[in-house]
Amino acid sequence: GSQDPQDYHIKRQKSDPKASLTFPVTASRYDAPFPFYRRPAEIGRFSLDAQRCYHGDARQLRYYAPPPMEGPTPGFDLRDGYPDRYVKRDEDVREGLDHLLKWVAQNQKELQTDDKGRPLNADFVTWRGHLTKVLTTPYETRDGWLLAVSLFRGTLYISEVETEAAREEREHRSELLKELAYMGYKFEQYMCADTPDGTPDPSGVVNTNEAFCTVIRTRLGTHSLLFSGEVDCTDPRSPWPDPPSCYVELKTSKVMHSLAHRKNFYRQKMIKWWAQSFLPGVSRIVAGYRGPDGSVVGLETFETMKIFQLIKEDPGCWKPAVCMNFCAAFLAFVKKVVTEDNPKLVHLFAWEPGHPISYTVHRDSDYIFLPDWYVEAMST
Ligand code: 0WD
Ligand code: CA
């Protein structure tokens, strides 16, 4: 009949009527051909300045400016400037979807109404980082997640809620982890210039309030998506000159000395790098490898679309198709569960490694995340 092909995945739980449906995560269930994923299109850009203030333009976009040659020791000291030239974003401020919603509200007119009579022609609106977490879920063994969902005027909004474990981790983060986080941002400063032909200036302050975000429209199976993600830089000399393909994602990782180490890196870390860049169509990831003294001992460029070739030799490795099929099925589950159009109603989807996804329902609670100004802007 007309049954959704995902229906058989959903098990009714007789024991707990409140969490009446759960959703399985086991990778093998999603081992099917790669689903349809439309080429991501950039439909907008915005920036957050040094004070974390929103601007509807690309003023924070930086330009990829690598050292002349790939290979040994470019002479970057990733510890330089720590902690004296470091301004860290206040992580106690929970921004939710606010910056993205501001962009949507300000560009509402160009996001023409569709035949479903919605003010926004998208099934889902969220941060790219939230979708990255969904994509990697079938292979994640450590960190769970909480995703809040509200249906408002025909569009499902997804906003992450910090788990208890993540808050604990953040509040008791070791000095070593704090410095490692800084080193990632410092690497960006060594690799990026403020103008297309400029050279990096590592003497300045590292300020993590600053961000440039791209707004992407795409489709996964039957789901139209609108999401935004922070972009490190654009390559003015990219072989693919148009955004989002010209964007470059910068990463740091511990230098690898053995094949076993590299295999482990492909299994554990590359899945996150791939998912994050594949979603918005960022075509290159540039890794800076850290030596034990905090210097960069080498650079390596990965083409996002070729990563699956690197991993497919290893039968124990993750599969891109599993990630994408799982994401499509989870979004179908969300559509099935969240059917009441109400910005003050929140379904909280919860997942812990080794368990299926479950959810709870919250009315007029602290979980509400669509602000009144947004609801008003989209209702007029
Ligand atoms: O307040 C919150 N709960 C969150 C805010 C959670 C997740 C993201 N954000 C903000 C970010 O600050 C950013 O401005 O949303 C914006 C876009 O995020 P995204 O692109 O969807 O997030 P993700 O793909 O997870 O991260 C992209 C980059 C990171 O680069 P690396 O190479 O580490 O993946 O955004 C940065 C980080 O540089 N980033 C953040 N910066 C400040 N605060 C945060 C954060 N919470 N999360 C990621
Ligand atoms: Ca990065």
Side-chain angles (χ1 to χ4, degrees), residues 168-296:
E168 284 287 314
E169 194 276 328
R170 179 166 62 82
E171 282 170 357
H172 302 109
R173 199 169 292 161
S174 66
E175 262 318 306
L176 179 72
L177 282 178
K178 285 180 189 164
E179 190 165 6
L180 275 176
Y182 171 82
M183 290 162 79
Y185 294 112
K186 186 68 189 176
F187 179 60
E188 296 174 8
Q189 196 188 49
Y190 275 117
M191 297 291 283
C192 297
D194 289 338
T195 57
D197 298 307
T199 46
D201 174 18
S203 71
V205 167
V206 169
N207 185 331
T208 61
N209 288 302
E210 297 177 9
F212 166 77
C213 294
T214 178
V215 184
I216 296 290
R217 185 194 278 294
T218 185
R219 171 174 290 274
L220 170 58
T222 56
H223 315 297
S224 59
L225 313 177
L226 190 159
F227 58 80
S228 178
E230 192 175 325
V231 167
D232 291 327
C233 57
T234 184
D235 181 0
R237 289 156 284 272
S238 174
W240 313 275
D242 298 318
S245 312
C246 57
Y247 294 144
V248 178
E249 172 64 36
L250 300 171
K251 294 285 181 203
T252 55
S253 198
K254 197 172 166 182
V255 63
M256 294 177 279
H257 293 298
S258 68
L259 272 172
H261 193 175
R262 185 169 272 268
K263 185 169 170 174
N264 198 48
F265 163 79
Y266 283 167
R267 286 187 176 194
Q268 309 289 328
K269 218 162 180 178
M270 198 56 115
I271 182 175
K272 292 182 180 169
W273 292 10
W274 171 81
Q276 184 188 41
S277 287
F278 179 78
L279 279 165
V282 170
S283 58
R284 277 186 302 170
I285 304 165
V286 175
Y289 293 116
R290 278 186 272 108
D293 61 349
S295 66
V296 173

